Amino acid sequence: MTNRASKKHLTTFFQQDYPQYEILFCAADAQDAGLATARRVAARYPHIPVKFLSTGGELDYINDKVASMEAMEAVAAHDILVISDSDVRVTPDYLRARGSAFRRQRGGAMCCPIVA
């Protein structure tokens, strides 16, 4: 995926019709090019809370994504976590649609970001 496409996709997460949310980004290396791209996109949306994290790449995980998810969960400001990748583009109602199920009942859910 090109850097331009990544920016377009990331931008859609900053344009959500949802009352309060934050966006967390994580990579193994703090100097990761993807984090740099995310910082540039985030700078255009100063009203959206954003956190940039890195795992340092030294964690005991077989999968870097799992290490990133654990790092993000530890600092998340909200109880509902939606995980995605830079190649996913969403509509403005994405978080509202995902979050609505949690207002009615307690529980957990999982879906494939590509399909959602």
Side-chain angles (χ1 to χ4, degrees):
M1 169 166 296
T2 67
N3 190 15
R4 186 174 181 190
S6 291
K7 285 181 188 177
K8 284 185 176 185
H9 292 156
L10 290 176
T11 296
T12 64
F13 286 91
F14 285 89
Q15 299 171 334
Q16 291 300 295
D17 178 23
Y18 200 75
Q20 290 185 339
Y21 68 100
E22 70 177 341
I23 300 177
L24 308 174
F25 294 98
C26 189
D29 181 354
Q31 302 307 312
D32 185 89
L35 287 180
T37 297
R39 280 184 171 82
R40 286 191 295 277
V41 173
R44 298 191 327 237
Y45 299 90
H47 62 288
I48 304 293
V50 182
K51 294 177 185 162
F52 299 94
L53 310 165
S54 68
T55 62
E58 305 270 334
L59 299 176
D60 295 329
Y61 292 92
I62 243 173
N63 183 310
D64 287 341
K65 184 171 279 205
V66 174
S68 291
M69 288 188 299
E70 183 175 276
M72 290 185 287
E73 190 274 333
V75 301
H78 303 283
D79 294 333
I80 299 173
L81 305 175
V82 176
I83 292 125
S84 188
D85 287 314
S86 64
D87 62 347
V88 175
R89 183 174 58 193
V90 297
T91 59
D93 66 338
Y94 182 74
L95 289 181
R96 190 170 298 284
R98 299 301 162 272
S100 66
F102 294 97
R103 283 193 292 273
R104 292 188 297 271
Q105 62 188 13
R106 296 186 64 89
M110 183 186 315
C111 69
C112 175
I114 302 299
V115 176

